[in-house]
Each structure stands twice: as structure tokens, then as C-alpha cells.
Amino acid sequence: MGKKKRKLPRPRLDFCHDVRREATHSLVISPPNQPQEADHREKLFPPVVMTASQSDSLVVLFGATAGAYGAKLGSDERELILLVWQVVDLHSKKVGTLHKSLVKADNLDLSDQCREVSGLTPEGLDKAEPLDRVLQQFCQLVSSDLKVLGKSSYTLCSDGQLLIRQVLHPEASKKNFVLSDCFYSFYDLRKEFHTCYPSSAAVKDQTIKTMAEYLGLGTDEAEEDFGVWQVKTMVAIIFTMLSESCSHLFTEPENVKHKYETGPCSKSETVSSETVIRARGLPWQSSDQDIARFFKGLNIAKGGVALCLNAQGRRNGEALVRFVNSEQRDLALERHKHHMGSRYIEVYKATGEEFLRIAGGTSNEVAQFLSKENQVIIRMRGLPFTATQEDVLGFLGSECPVTGGKEGLLFVKYPDGRPTGDAFVLFSCEEYAQNALKKHKEILGKRYIELFRSTAAEVQQVLNRYMSTPLIPTLPAPIIPVIPSPYTIATGSIRDCVRLRGLPYTAGVDDILEFMGDATGDIKPHGIHMVFNQQGRPSGDAFIQMKSADKAYTVAQKCHKKMMKDRYVEVFQCSGEEMNFVLMGGTLNRSGLSPPPCKLPCLSPPAYATFQAAAVIPAEAAIYQPQALLPATRTPQASAAAPQTVTYYPAQAAQLYMNYTTYYPSPPVSPTTVGYLTAPPGAVAAAATATHTPILPQPGALVRMQGLPYNTGIKEILSFFQGYQWRSLFSELKFTQNCKCTIEKCDLEPPCMEQVSNNV
């Protein structure tokens, strides 16, 4: 630097004495008797005028936690244990008393770094006051110092933003007390220093020590207690910046938003990927305000919380959050695995495109509905299809008036105008919203109504989902047709299959083939079946069909607990019947087979078949794809009667394109087992002649209904699908020991199933 270091001057104490040191290095204060209710801010924190733009004093503030120090301050959720501060008069360059106060944390287990740097002990902290009392004393002492200095306003000044944004605000939020207004505006000394000295190091690389060395100030920390040296050095840096050679002005403080602002987001907006994060592991009932509280201290953009929904329109525990700038986003990433209640939340980077896909909308009706800002949004689910605006207003009652009356209601409908049973309601304040939530599961008509907190982004998602849903789902144009293998999934009790359990979630068909080694040649074509859960993610299980029971036994003995990608995999011999039970949603454990769940929610109008993006399967892996859900083959006589027939034949191209179809509720089967595409009609005759393969019917869009009432008849099912184009209906009859079927009053013997099917 070439600058001569000068001794760090001790700040002048014109009106007050220096900090008093006790054996525990804490300032002993006799607090006045004042109520401690956190709900009353004016009682906890005496009002002090502190308009940032007109501030004539600074309160230099330094703090430390029981955990990480420096650049990682606050990243480990450890509590504050030390506060040191001093008032600085910007005009007269006088200072007030330097105060140091220990803070009693709930967890007094100090990290090794904290013990080494601060010299504090759990015994000394045990005698200190809790944080809310210390902050109360802070406001009182600052007010007293200002009166002595003859000043009326002040603004905090800290070394960086971590103490205010990552420590004080999150901890106060978790302990449910309100911070004084002075903690919502502060100066970042590092930014101010870089503005005054542009040739200095970057803001993120600045420390109190590097700033003092740049100015040639003494940096002997051993002369003072921990915290005291930091505050005195910061005061000396400020005085240097205020000198005639620099004449720096503190005019642009950092601000912390008091509360999260709701609002709509348009798909035409430009959202920077440097400002968006994805939060995962959220409680399903969490709202946008809960997420904003988790990121308390950081500035979230208006309408910047978007809760993600799954294929059934329910929250999946994830959210996309948009911050005002990249600096706030980077601070949010430091809260990875911080806790919301008893759950830890994972925080990752996301893109602006992802945020717009979730939160963006184009509907004028939704934009008008969300134009009323700072409203609390409640989602109503399960409304009768005949419910009107008057019915909903009457259900909510006078104790929770809706903002704007009927204008504060938004019914969700299909493109053809049919109601979905969902609606969104606006309330002007939290009290009205809480009154509405008390009506959760109360009855309207003959149905109970569910009420949840919602967000502007969720309104957009739900409307986008329903408005883009096709009335009758149809298969896309065929690309490359496939012929079914002569091998099908076995249904007998022969134990010619093996089950792999404990696979790495990243494992694919190639990994399984490598894992099987020499036994790969004994696998039937189309004999590898990956099991996925209801979210479409790998479950860690797979089934493999072998050419014989002896081959399956040999593989189970040879490969059991063999390693695959640092994990051992269990291999068990099983039968085709057991495999089918698991692929269709059942469970297989030591106690035997558990059938697929039958008490699943009935299929409702919103639960259409949806088509996801086409997946590309390598040709060498395609020969092992299962055929579990292909239609059963028919005799040539029956097939000839069909007006239009198609077949499946093997692809000659290098790749196989497949389209996956997801139904609700979907069993945990492999997505490769559904949705084979049909061949062009012109190829039917040639393929049938060449391979003599039985001709199969067009699969179309198949819907399975589970959980029907026992007295449900054909008429009720047809009435349920009124307005839809349906081609055929097959009722799977459930018989009791008395051979009574469920078709209205039918008393036929079991052969009636065939008769009813033919009649339908």
C-alpha cells in the first residue's frame, strides 16, 4: 500500500465513560421494570425518531453467535451471544458510551471457533439476559446516549449484512418477538467503504481488519476485548471516511422489508435466474407468509413466492422464491437446511423460466382478481358444482367479509365453463382470513368444504392447469410403433423372477445389466421392470424375469448383497404373481403379499390423463421394456370384426420414442409400462402377414375407477361421465359368496359378467 500505519486512535468519550468490564466481560445493567410482552412493540422498544435520510447519528453495531464467525455468520442457525455498540455523532465526530452485553442463548454449547475467537464460556453466558431483554436495553441505552449528545435520530451501521439479515431477524422471528424499527434500516460499512475508496478490495472480500490496514490504522486485537476492538476500529474507519480528504456522506442505507407483499406475475415479465431459489421439504400446509417468515431479513420480490403443485393440484412441498437481487439470493442459499418448525428446508438455485412457468399467468380475469394488493387469499376446495357466489358468501358469513363482495370470489372452471369445485377468496386482513379458516370441513349443501391459505402464484397455477386441460385426452401422432414381445409378464406361481431391492436412485437398465454380469444372457426380452413411486421417481426396486426358476435361484445366490455404485443390493427370488402385485401397487414383505390399495379417492373430473414430454430410450435398453399394460390379445375372428385395426412391430430406427401416460391415482409402476404408440394403418397388413402377430385394438384413453360405492350401477357411471365422449365401458364386477353382483338389482350367477359386458 505504501501508506504508513498509524496507531488506532481511541474514540473520544466527551460526555460518557468507557465500557465497564466485569469478570464475565459483560456490561451489568439494572433493567427497569417494564412489561416483556413481545406483541407490544411500543412497550418493548421506546420510540426513537430514526429517519434514515435525515439521520445525524450512527450506532455502530457488532455481534457474534455461538457458532460460525466471519463470512459464515448465521449460516448454522446458532443463536446470538454477544452485542457491542456505540453511538457516533456524524457532525461533531463525538461518540457515546461503548456498551457490551452478553446474550443468554437457549443452547449454551459453544463451537470451538467461538470459544477460541471470543474467549466466552457457557458459565459466563448463563448469567446474561435473553435476547429480547438485551434488545430492550439496547433501545433504552441508545436513547439515553442520543439525549446526552443532543441528537434525535440514528441509523445502525454494521460490518456487512450478516448480523442484521442472517442473525437478528431470523432469530427474532423464531422466538416470536418483534424487532424495533431501527433494525429495518442500516448502513453496510463494507459497501460505504468501497464507495469511498473504489480502489480497495471487493465488498465480499472486505473485513474490519482489511479496511483498517488499507487506511494504515493499527490492528492489534490483543489490546482489547473481543467485540470492543471491532467497534472501536469501525468508529475509527468512519471518522477517517468523514475527514476533509474524503467527506463521505451516509445517504443510502440498506432496507429490510417489514412484510411480504403479494401480487400477480405475468408471463411477459423478465425474471433473472440470479434471483430465484427452490425451497424443498416444506410442510404441505405452509403458506407464502410462512415461507417469507423462513427467509425473514431478506427482501423477497413482490409476489415472489410460488408454491409448486403436483399432478393432482396439491402442494408437493416445494416452492420457488424470487428475491429483489442476486445478493439477497446468495444470502438465501446460506439458509440451506435451516429449520421450519421441526423440518429442515433444502435451498437450491433455480431459473427464471421455472419461476414464470409456475407463477406466470396470462388470464385477464386472474389479473383483475389479483389486482387488489395486500390481500389474504384463501382457497376453497370441494364446492358443489351447483354452488353460486351467494352460496359461498353465505357459507363464509358476516364474521369474515369478502373483499369487494362478489368481486372477491374467483371460481375455477374448465374451458367449457363447467365448475371444478375450487374457488379463491380475498380477505382484507388476517383476522377475517383466520375466521374463514375456522370453517374448514364445514358443510355446504351435502359436501364438506376444505379451506387453505393460498398465494397469487397458486391461483395462476390452478387456472393455468385447468384452462389448458384437454376435455378428451388423445394420443399424439405415432412416431415409431412397437410390436409386443412374445414374452409377457408371468402370472403363475413359478419362481422364475428376481427382485432387486436397494438400488441407487440413479441406477438404470445399463447398470442392472452390468450388475447381473454373466447372468444377463438368461434374462427374458422385455424382462427388466423398474419400479417408480407415485411421484414418478425411482423407488430403488426392480424386477427381472429369468428364463427359468433355476436361473433365478442362481442369480439370487450369486448377486445377493453385491455392490452397485457404493450400495449393496439385495436380490430375492420371487414369482411372476408376486411381481405383478408390486407393479400394480401392492407390497411384498416378509409377511407375504399385500394387495394394491382399494380405498383410494374416486376419480374426479379434474383428474384427466395427462401426457408428459416424450422420453428417448436407447435401442439396446428398449428390448428389456415390459408389456404389463398392453391390451390382451384377441382371436383373429374377433379382431377381424373391428372396423379399424392396428398392430405393433419392432422399430428399425436407432432409437425408440415412447410417451408416458399418468393416471390418478397412479400405482407405483414403471412409466415404461404404459402408453405404447400405434403403428401407421398402412403397415398393419404387412406386419401381420410377416410376423403372424395377433392384431390388437387401438388402446385409446383408458380410465380405471376404484373405490366405487357398492350400490353403483351402469347408469351412475354413465351419469358421472356425462358430457364426455366414451367409446366402451367394462364393469369389473365384485362378487360375494352369494354371487350377488353390483349392477343395480341383478341376481344372475357369475356368468352374468359376460352377458353384461356384451350388452354394454
mmCIF file of all heavy atoms in Angstrom, residues 685-707:
data_model
loop_
_atom_site.group_PDB
_atom_site.id
_atom_site.type_symbol
_atom_site.label_atom_id
_atom_site.label_comp_id
_atom_site.label_asym_id
_atom_site.label_seq_id
_atom_site.Cartn_x
_atom_site.Cartn_y
_atom_site.Cartn_z
ATOM 1 N N ALA A 685 -51.149 -54.571 -42.410
ATOM 2 C CA ALA A 685 -51.247 -55.829 -43.135
ATOM 3 C C ALA A 685 -49.887 -56.480 -43.321
ATOM 4 O O ALA A 685 -49.722 -57.680 -43.090
ATOM 5 C CB ALA A 685 -51.918 -55.589 -44.486
ATOM 6 N N ALA A 686 -48.913 -55.651 -43.704
ATOM 7 C CA ALA A 686 -47.585 -56.217 -43.941
ATOM 8 C C ALA A 686 -46.984 -56.797 -42.670
ATOM 9 O O ALA A 686 -46.403 -57.879 -42.678
ATOM 10 C CB ALA A 686 -46.658 -55.145 -44.517
ATOM 11 N N ALA A 687 -47.167 -56.077 -41.571
ATOM 12 C CA ALA A 687 -46.604 -56.563 -40.314
ATOM 13 C C ALA A 687 -47.311 -57.821 -39.851
ATOM 14 O O ALA A 687 -46.685 -58.755 -39.347
ATOM 15 C CB ALA A 687 -46.692 -55.473 -39.252
ATOM 16 N N ALA A 688 -48.637 -57.871 -40.012
ATOM 17 C CA ALA A 688 -49.387 -59.040 -39.566
ATOM 18 C C ALA A 688 -49.036 -60.256 -40.394
ATOM 19 O O ALA A 688 -48.936 -61.378 -39.895
ATOM 20 C CB ALA A 688 -50.879 -58.750 -39.641
ATOM 21 N N THR A 689 -48.839 -60.051 -41.727
ATOM 22 C CA THR A 689 -48.508 -61.165 -42.605
ATOM 23 C C THR A 689 -47.105 -61.690 -42.327
ATOM 24 O O THR A 689 -46.862 -62.896 -42.313
ATOM 25 C CB THR A 689 -48.623 -60.727 -44.072
ATOM 26 O OG1 THR A 689 -49.936 -60.232 -44.304
ATOM 27 C CG2 THR A 689 -48.319 -61.887 -45.006
ATOM 28 N N ALA A 690 -46.200 -60.758 -42.089
ATOM 29 C CA ALA A 690 -44.803 -61.159 -41.919
ATOM 30 C C ALA A 690 -44.549 -61.857 -40.599
ATOM 31 O O ALA A 690 -43.746 -62.766 -40.508
ATOM 32 C CB ALA A 690 -43.885 -59.944 -42.069
ATOM 33 N N THR A 691 -45.205 -61.416 -39.544
ATOM 34 C CA THR A 691 -44.896 -61.933 -38.207
ATOM 35 C C THR A 691 -45.986 -62.803 -37.619
ATOM 36 O O THR A 691 -45.773 -63.444 -36.599
ATOM 37 C CB THR A 691 -44.656 -60.756 -37.248
ATOM 38 O OG1 THR A 691 -45.868 -59.993 -37.181
ATOM 39 C CG2 THR A 691 -43.532 -59.875 -37.750
ATOM 40 N N HIS A 692 -47.187 -62.811 -38.281
ATOM 41 C CA HIS A 692 -48.323 -63.579 -37.770
ATOM 42 C C HIS A 692 -48.637 -63.221 -36.322
ATOM 43 O O HIS A 692 -48.978 -64.056 -35.505
ATOM 44 C CB HIS A 692 -48.068 -65.089 -37.883
ATOM 45 C CG HIS A 692 -47.803 -65.536 -39.286
ATOM 46 N ND1 HIS A 692 -48.799 -65.644 -40.223
ATOM 47 C CD2 HIS A 692 -46.630 -65.876 -39.907
ATOM 48 C CE1 HIS A 692 -48.261 -66.062 -41.389
ATOM 49 N NE2 HIS A 692 -46.952 -66.197 -41.219
ATOM 50 N N THR A 693 -48.467 -61.945 -36.018
ATOM 51 C CA THR A 693 -48.746 -61.467 -34.667
ATOM 52 C C THR A 693 -50.229 -61.145 -34.533
ATOM 53 O O THR A 693 -50.798 -60.522 -35.413
ATOM 54 C CB THR A 693 -47.925 -60.202 -34.366
ATOM 55 O OG1 THR A 693 -46.559 -60.516 -34.569
ATOM 56 C CG2 THR A 693 -48.145 -59.725 -32.945
ATOM 57 N N PRO A 694 -50.871 -61.538 -33.441
ATOM 58 C CA PRO A 694 -52.277 -61.192 -33.259
ATOM 59 C C PRO A 694 -52.466 -59.687 -33.308
ATOM 60 O O PRO A 694 -51.654 -58.922 -32.785
ATOM 61 C CB PRO A 694 -52.597 -61.751 -31.861
ATOM 62 C CG PRO A 694 -51.578 -62.811 -31.640
ATOM 63 C CD PRO A 694 -50.346 -62.364 -32.361
ATOM 64 N N ILE A 695 -53.531 -59.258 -33.962
ATOM 65 C CA ILE A 695 -53.799 -57.832 -34.125
ATOM 66 C C ILE A 695 -54.478 -57.305 -32.875
ATOM 67 O O ILE A 695 -55.401 -57.911 -32.342
ATOM 68 C CB ILE A 695 -54.672 -57.594 -35.359
ATOM 69 C CG1 ILE A 695 -53.886 -58.026 -36.603
ATOM 70 C CG2 ILE A 695 -55.077 -56.148 -35.469
ATOM 71 C CD1 ILE A 695 -54.660 -57.898 -37.886
ATOM 72 N N LEU A 696 -54.039 -56.161 -32.423
ATOM 73 C CA LEU A 696 -54.525 -55.586 -31.174
ATOM 74 C C LEU A 696 -55.402 -54.380 -31.446
ATOM 75 O O LEU A 696 -55.235 -53.692 -32.438
ATOM 76 C CB LEU A 696 -53.330 -55.157 -30.308
ATOM 77 C CG LEU A 696 -52.352 -56.279 -29.952
ATOM 78 C CD1 LEU A 696 -51.209 -55.704 -29.143
ATOM 79 C CD2 LEU A 696 -53.050 -57.375 -29.188
ATOM 80 N N PRO A 697 -56.330 -54.090 -30.585
ATOM 81 C CA PRO A 697 -57.188 -52.921 -30.758
ATOM 82 C C PRO A 697 -56.458 -51.646 -30.398
ATOM 83 O O PRO A 697 -55.457 -51.673 -29.693
ATOM 84 C CB PRO A 697 -58.339 -53.192 -29.783
ATOM 85 C CG PRO A 697 -57.696 -53.985 -28.692
ATOM 86 C CD PRO A 697 -56.665 -54.856 -29.367
ATOM 87 N N GLN A 698 -56.988 -50.541 -30.883
ATOM 88 C CA GLN A 698 -56.458 -49.227 -30.508
ATOM 89 C C GLN A 698 -56.673 -49.002 -29.018
ATOM 90 O O GLN A 698 -57.789 -49.096 -28.523
ATOM 91 C CB GLN A 698 -57.188 -48.142 -31.308
ATOM 92 C CG GLN A 698 -56.905 -46.728 -30.838
ATOM 93 C CD GLN A 698 -55.497 -46.304 -31.174
ATOM 94 O OE1 GLN A 698 -54.922 -46.823 -32.097
ATOM 95 N NE2 GLN A 698 -54.947 -45.385 -30.424
ATOM 96 N N PRO A 699 -55.603 -48.754 -28.228
ATOM 97 C CA PRO A 699 -55.784 -48.636 -26.779
ATOM 98 C C PRO A 699 -56.602 -47.428 -26.370
ATOM 99 O O PRO A 699 -57.314 -47.466 -25.386
ATOM 100 C CB PRO A 699 -54.347 -48.543 -26.255
ATOM 101 C CG PRO A 699 -53.544 -48.094 -27.427
ATOM 102 C CD PRO A 699 -54.206 -48.651 -28.643
ATOM 103 N N GLY A 700 -56.515 -46.306 -27.108
ATOM 104 C CA GLY A 700 -57.298 -45.132 -26.741
ATOM 105 C C GLY A 700 -56.898 -44.591 -25.382
ATOM 106 O O GLY A 700 -55.789 -44.750 -24.938
ATOM 107 N N ALA A 701 -57.845 -43.939 -24.693
ATOM 108 C CA ALA A 701 -57.609 -43.373 -23.363
ATOM 109 C C ALA A 701 -58.392 -44.196 -22.368
ATOM 110 O O ALA A 701 -59.621 -44.177 -22.358
ATOM 111 C CB ALA A 701 -58.042 -41.918 -23.322
ATOM 112 N N LEU A 702 -57.698 -44.952 -21.534
ATOM 113 C CA LEU A 702 -58.329 -45.870 -20.590
ATOM 114 C C LEU A 702 -58.331 -45.264 -19.204
ATOM 115 O O LEU A 702 -57.331 -44.713 -18.764
ATOM 116 C CB LEU A 702 -57.566 -47.202 -20.581
ATOM 117 C CG LEU A 702 -58.072 -48.285 -19.613
ATOM 118 C CD1 LEU A 702 -59.458 -48.750 -20.041
ATOM 119 C CD2 LEU A 702 -57.104 -49.454 -19.601
ATOM 120 N N VAL A 703 -59.462 -45.342 -18.522
ATOM 121 C CA VAL A 703 -59.598 -44.825 -17.167
ATOM 122 C C VAL A 703 -60.101 -45.941 -16.279
ATOM 123 O O VAL A 703 -61.076 -46.619 -16.616
ATOM 124 C CB VAL A 703 -60.571 -43.630 -17.109
ATOM 125 C CG1 VAL A 703 -60.782 -43.192 -15.681
ATOM 126 C CG2 VAL A 703 -60.026 -42.473 -17.931
ATOM 127 N N ARG A 704 -59.430 -46.154 -15.162
ATOM 128 C CA ARG A 704 -59.858 -47.150 -14.191
ATOM 129 C C ARG A 704 -60.424 -46.451 -12.970
ATOM 130 O O ARG A 704 -59.797 -45.558 -12.428
ATOM 131 C CB ARG A 704 -58.686 -48.037 -13.783
ATOM 132 C CG ARG A 704 -59.048 -49.091 -12.736
ATOM 133 C CD ARG A 704 -57.825 -49.907 -12.336
ATOM 134 N NE ARG A 704 -58.150 -50.907 -11.348
ATOM 135 C CZ ARG A 704 -57.269 -51.723 -10.782
ATOM 136 N NH1 ARG A 704 -55.994 -51.637 -11.134
ATOM 137 N NH2 ARG A 704 -57.636 -52.603 -9.882
ATOM 138 N N MET A 705 -61.608 -46.866 -12.521
ATOM 139 C CA MET A 705 -62.262 -46.254 -11.359
ATOM 140 C C MET A 705 -62.179 -47.230 -10.188
ATOM 141 O O MET A 705 -62.637 -48.369 -10.289
ATOM 142 C CB MET A 705 -63.719 -45.913 -11.676
ATOM 143 C CG MET A 705 -63.891 -44.978 -12.862
ATOM 144 S SD MET A 705 -65.618 -44.641 -13.235
ATOM 145 C CE MET A 705 -66.080 -43.679 -11.782
ATOM 146 N N GLN A 706 -61.597 -46.755 -9.095
ATOM 147 C CA GLN A 706 -61.505 -47.564 -7.888
ATOM 148 C C GLN A 706 -62.252 -46.879 -6.758
ATOM 149 O O GLN A 706 -62.360 -45.661 -6.713
ATOM 150 C CB GLN A 706 -60.037 -47.763 -7.490
ATOM 151 C CG GLN A 706 -59.261 -48.648 -8.451
ATOM 152 C CD GLN A 706 -57.819 -48.794 -8.005
ATOM 153 O OE1 GLN A 706 -57.124 -47.806 -7.788
ATOM 154 N NE2 GLN A 706 -57.366 -50.022 -7.879
ATOM 155 N N GLY A 707 -62.721 -47.661 -5.826
ATOM 156 C CA GLY A 707 -63.396 -47.110 -4.661
ATOM 157 C C GLY A 707 -64.837 -46.736 -4.907
ATOM 158 O O GLY A 707 -65.396 -45.897 -4.199
#
